Amino acid sequence: MSGVAIEIEDLAVRYENGPPLLHDFSMAVHEGECVGIAGASGCGKSTLLYCICGLIPHSIPAELTGSVRLFGRPVADLARHELAQTLGIVFQNPDTQLFCDTVEDEIAFGMENICLSCDEMEQRMEECLALTGLADLRMASPKRLSGGQRQLVVLAAVLALRPRILLLDEAFSQLDAAGRARLLAHIRALRDGGQTILIVDHAPENLSLAHRVLQL
């Protein structure tokens, strides 16, 4: 392990008219570490990821106290394009993150928004298609793919931005056994390659990849 990728100190969150979550919560995740977050529904697992990626309080209204830093910088100080290249998040339902007509367009969309050159985009496209096993489906419509394949498209689109941190928010929950095994294999390969990963899940088998698991 090298430096600290995620550092959280005394975090507490309260949604409007809701009880406090993550009261005085602190944690640190080092670069190259894969950490699991477990806990019962409603304990604040997804809320924690929303704070890490900046959705709270910028897009999701909530009262937040404490600090969240990525590689030593407060999340609030990171511009949108910096956040996109610092971390990527894969949500539970892939359909909430898919809106283009082809797999290629989905993967290209984020890269276009950070103004990569055509040559760089093509290189990353090839790498991510190969990594996720989607090369033969490059021109397919995501709407016609299985749930597991759609989740891999989301993963490929996120990885194309080469985020330093990968967040998985119940990313396995809607997959069948084959899709779950396929996604777990790809996440394992990323972990073994030194990718910093935070996995939020309630299923022990999905957290088996983690170097350690924190219980909320």
Side-chain angles (χ1 to χ4, degrees), residues 11 14 30 38 41 45 49 60 63 67-68 82-83 87 89 94 96 100 106 123 132 141 144 147 149 168:
L11 180 66
R14 184 193 292 270
H30 289 81
S41 296
K45 300 188 301 297
L49 292 195
I60 300 174
E63 178 185 342
S67 65
V68 181
E82 291 178 299
L83 277 170
L87 56 81
I89 186 167
T96 63
C100 294
E106 289 288 356
Q123 178 183 340
T132 52
S141 168
R144 302 191 174 208
Q149 288 171 325
L168 302 176

Side-chain angles (χ1 to χ4, degrees), residues 8-27 42-68 75 216:
I8 298 172
E9 292 184 352
D10 302 324
L11 180 66
V13 180
R14 184 193 292 270
Y15 296 104
E16 185 178 4
N17 299 322
L21 296 171
L22 304 168
H23 183 64
D24 292 333
F25 179 81
S26 298
M27 66 173 288
C43 71
K45 300 188 301 297
S46 293
T47 295
L48 175 61
L49 292 195
Y50 299 159
C51 293
I52 292 172
C53 71
L55 285 174
I56 293 177
H58 300 304
S59 299
I60 300 174
E63 178 185 342
L64 182 153
T65 59
S67 65
V68 181
V75 169
L216 294 186

Side-chain angles (χ1 to χ4, degrees), residues 4 42-43 67 84 87 119 130 140 175 182-183 186:
V4 177
C43 71
S67 65
L87 56 81
D119 288 345
L175 305 183
R182 186 160 51 244
L183 185 56
H186 290 300

